[in-house]
């Protein structure tokens, strides 16, 4: 049978045609007609199924709705790739931030008192106070007051403690730093 | 005329088919049987060609008609009965492809080729060519095969195929292109097919 519905009756007629059309023409011979006996048996089975209203296959309860826009949309590999890239672009920085937040952070501190707040290099610098009112405020709530002419160095900071070397300082009793 | 349909058949709606559709919609008791008699060979042919070997076509045929009779009351245009049955068939093809894929994954075994070529009785030479063509078609992945068969053998529009298989039009085009390329390569490998269809021996 040709695409216009007519029969040419022989495969020889396909020689000069599009090979794919000739190929399709050959396959239209398959399968042969459904035998009458098979049709009859099929009809009887179908009648029983309709009467019992029982699904024959495991997917019979599947919704008969048309294709969801999402499934059609996602069936294109370009769209799928774009979606994966977009999700990665969001997920990677968010995951990185969450991971970073989950890590225990080292203590930090500022020097307060003389000229407002000074943010200083975290460790290794010698600290002193001209007025004697400066304080080191740590992020865990600890405080260290500096007397005039005191010399103090924050040697290292960890999440749990700070190592401080002081030449002259007063450390309050409640300090844990 | 074979029982198979083409796009042209869809356009030329037979008056008896229209009367049949109206009778089904009216719930005439004889009409369901007539729909089965008239369309089951067509549906069977589409299923066989689109899915290839290794499927239970009797079950699938039942599946299609159960769905057709369940949903036919929603058919607004009686002249579209044939197209409606086609669309249900294509959807069942899609589900069966998915089921077969998950079966293959579970069993990790090749599907047994139970269904040999059952060509309409023709001369031995044509039977041989049909068997060769079927072997080439059987080499296609299920999805490409379904799109190729529905487009080139059943004459369906790509948009209709895409909707039935629940894929985008561009995916349908891509699968068709790949399937066609594989068919051409298969034809090239078969000297007889190549000589017949391309007018030159294969590689």
């Amino acid at each position: 049978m040709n695409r216009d519905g007519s029969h040419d009756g022989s495969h020889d007629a396909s020689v000069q045609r599009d090979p794919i059309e000739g190929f399709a023409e050959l396959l239209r011979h398959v399968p042969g007609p459904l035998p009458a006996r098979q049709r009859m048996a099929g009809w009887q089975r179908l009648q029983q199924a309709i009467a019992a209203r029982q699904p024959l296959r495991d997917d019979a309860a599947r919704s008969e709705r048309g294709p969801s826009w999402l499934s059609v949309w996602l069936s294109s590999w370009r769209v799928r790739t774009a979606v994966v890239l977009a999700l990665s672009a969001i997920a990677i920085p968010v995951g990185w931030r969450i991971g970073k937040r989950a890590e225990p952070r080292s203590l930090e501190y500022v020097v307060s008192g003389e000229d407002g707040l000074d943010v200083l290099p975290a460790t290794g610098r010698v600290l002193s106070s001209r007025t004697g009112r400066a304080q080191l405020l740590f992020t865990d709530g600890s405080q260290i007051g500096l007397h005039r002419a005191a010399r103090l160095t924050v040697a290292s900071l960890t999440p749990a403690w700070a190592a401080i070397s002081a030449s002259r300082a007063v450390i309050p009793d409640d300090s844990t730093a | 005329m074979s029982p198979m349909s083409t796009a042209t058949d869809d356009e030329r709606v037979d008056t008896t088919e229209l009367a049949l559709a109206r009778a089904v919609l009216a719930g005439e008791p004889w009409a369901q049987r007539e729909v089965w008699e008239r369309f089951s060979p067509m549906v069977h042919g589409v299923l066989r060609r689109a899915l290839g070997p290794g499927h239970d076509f009797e079950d699938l045929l039942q599946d299609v008609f159960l769905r057709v009779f369940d949903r036919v009351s929603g058919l607004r245009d009686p002249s579209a009965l044939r197209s409606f049955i086609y669309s249900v068939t294509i959807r069942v093809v899609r589900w069966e492809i998915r089921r077969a894929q998950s079966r293959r994954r579970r069993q990790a075994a090749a599907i047994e080729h139970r269904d040999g070529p059952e060509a309409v009785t023709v001369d031995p030479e044509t039977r041989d060519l049909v068997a060769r063509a079927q072997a080439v078609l059987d080499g296609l992945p299920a999805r490409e095969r379904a799109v190729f068969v529905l487009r080139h053998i059943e004459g369906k529009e790509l948009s209709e195929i895409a909707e039935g298989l629940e894929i985008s039009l561009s995916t349908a085009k891509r699968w068709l292109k790949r399937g066609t390329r594989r068919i051409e390569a298969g034809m090239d490998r078969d000297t007889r097919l190549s000589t017949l269809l391309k007018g030159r021996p294969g590689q």
Side-chain angles (χ1 to χ4, degrees), chain A residues 115-152:
Chain A
D115 304 311
L117 287 178
D118 289 328
V119 178
L120 297 166
T123 56
R125 180 147 168 196
V126 177
L127 306 172
S128 62
S129 172
R130 280 179 280 112
T131 61
R133 293 196 301 272
Q135 282 188 314
L136 268 64
L137 306 176
F138 286 83
T139 47
D140 69 346
S142 308
Q143 299 173 6
I144 297 177
L146 285 179
H147 280 269
R148 189 181 301 189
R151 295 289 182 273
L152 187 147

Side-chain angles (χ1 to χ4, degrees), chain A residues 23-102:
Chain A
F23 182 83
E25 175 63 34
L26 278 175
L27 287 168
R28 288 193 189 106
H29 290 284
V30 183
L34 196 59
R37 211 167 63 179
Q38 200 178 335
R39 273 208 315 274
M40 174 62 84
W43 169 247
Q44 285 170 353
R45 186 179 163 200
L46 186 63
Q47 265 188 312
Q48 287 167 4
I50 291 170
R53 287 277 171 206
Q54 281 179 351
L56 292 178
R57 299 181 73 86
D58 55 3
D59 67 343
R62 190 191 302 266
S63 162
E64 297 286 352
R65 287 172 302 175
S68 74
W69 64 269
L70 190 63
S71 64
V72 171
W73 196 59
L74 287 177
S75 68
S76 159
W77 69 270
R78 286 190 185 89
V79 174
R80 277 202 304 268
T81 308
V83 168
V84 168
L85 288 176
L87 289 177
S88 305
I90 295 168
I92 290 171
V94 168
W96 183 77
R97 281 188 179 204
I98 290 172
K100 197 152 188 237
R101 201 172 288 170

Side-chain angles (χ1 to χ4, degrees), chain B residues 42-43 46-47 64 84-94:
Chain B
M42 174 194 90
V43 172
V46 175
L47 293 171
V64 170
F84 168 68
I85 294 173
Y86 247 116
S87 68
V88 174
T89 309
I90 294 174
R91 198 151 292 179
V92 168
V93 164
R94 172 185 162 261

